[in-house]
Amino acid sequence: MTQRPEAAAGVADADLDGTTALVTGSTSGIGREAALALGRLGAEVLVHGRDEAAGEAVVTELEGLGADARFLPADFADVGAVRTLADVVSSHVDELDVLANNAGGYFREGRLTDLGVEYTFHVNHLAGYQLTADLLPVLADDARVVTTSSAAHRGDQIDLDAVESVDDYSSFGAYQRSKLANVQFTAELGRRFEAASGTRTANCLHPGAIPGSGFFRSLPGPLPRLVKSLGRLPFVTSPADGAATLVYLAVADRVADTTGRYFADCAPETPADVARDPEAQRRLWERSADLLGIDEPLAQAVATDADADPARAD
Ligand SMILES: NC(=O)c1ccc[n+]([C@@H]2O[C@H](COP(=O)([O-])OP(=O)(O)OC[C@H]3O[C@@H](n4cnc5c(N)ncnc54)[C@H](OP(=O)(O)O)[C@@H]3O)[C@@H](O)[C@H]2O)c1
C-alpha cells in the first residue's frame, strides 16, 4: 500500500508550523500530493496551477487538514502571469521557506510561446527560472528550492540556439531537454547560493514513473485514460510515492546542507555527464536571463566567487 509522502521520506515527525511553501503545479499529481504532505506537517501552502476548480479543491483539502492554504493561478507559458504570481506571493509572505518548482508536463504539439520560446522549454524550465529569480528577495535565509526533473534528462543536449524554434519538433526530445535544464539550473542555483555564503539550498529530483498523475494527458486518443487506469494498479508507483523525494528535499534535516544535487528515491544520484558540465550550466543560466530580458540572477554572487578563485573566471 502507498505510504504518505512524508512517511516514505522519513519526515513524518517534522513540524513545519510557521513556514510557508509554494508548490507549483499542485492542482494534480505529484505536486498535489506534496502540497498535502507539507500541509499535514503544518506549513502554510500556496497551491499553483491553471485549473481553478482543481486548485480550490486542493485548498479545501488542505484547510480540512487544518493548514492555511491559498490557490494562486498562473499560466507558465505567460511571462506576465509568472511575474504577477511572484508579486502576489511576495506581498503575501514575509518569507518563503520552500519553493517547489514542480509544474510541468509533456506536450505533444510543437509550438512557441508568446515570448517566441519552444513551449516545453518555457513551461518546464524558463518559468521556474523566472519565478525563482523574482522570488529571491523573499526567500528565507535557509530556504529550499526543490525542482522536479526526471530521469528523462539523460540522453539529450540543449542547443541553446534552437530553443526559439520548433523545426523538427520531437515531443520527447523537447521534454528531455527541459528536464536536463532542470538539473543544470539546480546545479547553477546551488553554486550561486553557496557563493553568496548563504544557507539556502537548491536540489532536484526524479519522482519515478507515475502513470496515475495527469502527466500523460496530451497523448492521443484513449491513451490518457488507459495510462491513468494503469496508475490505479496496486503495484504501480503512485503520485504519493512520486512526491516522497520532493518532500524529503523540502523538509529532511539530513539534506539541510546539501545543494546543487540530483536525487531519486530520497537518495543522491549522479545525473548525466552533460548535466554536470559547469560551462553548460552557466550558459543555460545566462541564456535564460537573455530570453526573459532580465539581469542575470545572483550575478554578484559568482562575480565575487570568481574574484576569489581566478580559475573560475571567464
Ligand atoms: N508522471 C511522471 O511519470 C513523471 C516522471 C518524471 C517527472 N515528472 C515531472 O513531475 C512534475 C509533475 O508532473 P505530474 O506527473 O504530477 O503531472 P500532472 O498531474 O499533469 O501535474 C502537472 C502540474 O503542472 C501544472 N502545469 C502544467 N502545465 C502548466 C502551465 N502551462 N502553467 C501552469 N501550470 C502548469 C498542472 O496544473 P494545471 O493543469 O492546473 O495547469 C499540474 O498541476 C512535472 O514537472 C513532470 O515533468 C513526472
Side-chain angles (χ1 to χ4, degrees), residues 162-173:
V163 296
E164 292 170 285
S165 157
V166 285
D167 292 347
D168 304 320
Y169 181 76
S170 142
S171 49
F172 190 60

Side-chain angles (χ1 to χ4, degrees), residues 25-30 48-51 74-76 102-104 119 123 148-150 175 179 206-210 213-215 217:
S26 46
T27 52
S28 75
I30 295 160
H48 158 265
R50 291 165 301 175
D51 183 335
D75 183 347
F76 269 17
N102 168 76
Y119 187 91
V123 170
T148 308
S149 178
S150 169
Y175 182 70
K179 293 290 134 180
H206 169 56
I210 321 286
S213 73
F215 180 73
R217 62 178 105 171

Side-chain angles (χ1 to χ4, degrees), residues 30 147-154 175 204-210 241-242 245-246 249 262-266 269:
I30 295 160
T147 299
T148 308
S149 178
S150 169
H153 82 273
R154 298 180 194 280
Y175 182 70
C204 64
L205 65 126
H206 169 56
I210 321 286
D241 298 324
T245 305
L246 194 167
L249 291 172
Y262 172 77
F263 283 72
D265 292 325
C266 300
E269 267 196 11

Side-chain angles (χ1 to χ4, degrees), residues 2-13 29-38 40-41 238-249 251 266:
T2 293
Q3 281 184 300
R4 285 181 166 174
E6 62 272 33
V11 297
D13 294 334
I30 295 160
R32 173 181 168 278
E33 292 293 341
L36 294 173
L38 295 172
R40 278 191 294 269
L41 296 176
S238 70
D241 298 324
T245 305
L246 194 167
V247 172
Y248 176 75
L249 291 172
V251 176
C266 300

Side-chain angles (χ1 to χ4, degrees), residues 220-236:
L223 282 175
R225 223 158 19 91
L226 285 174
V227 175
K228 196 142 192 165
S229 52
L230 189 70
R232 285 194 278 275
L233 296 172
F235 51 84
V236 171

Side-chain angles (χ1 to χ4, degrees), residues 78 130 175 268:
D78 178 344
Q130 182 195 350
Y175 182 70

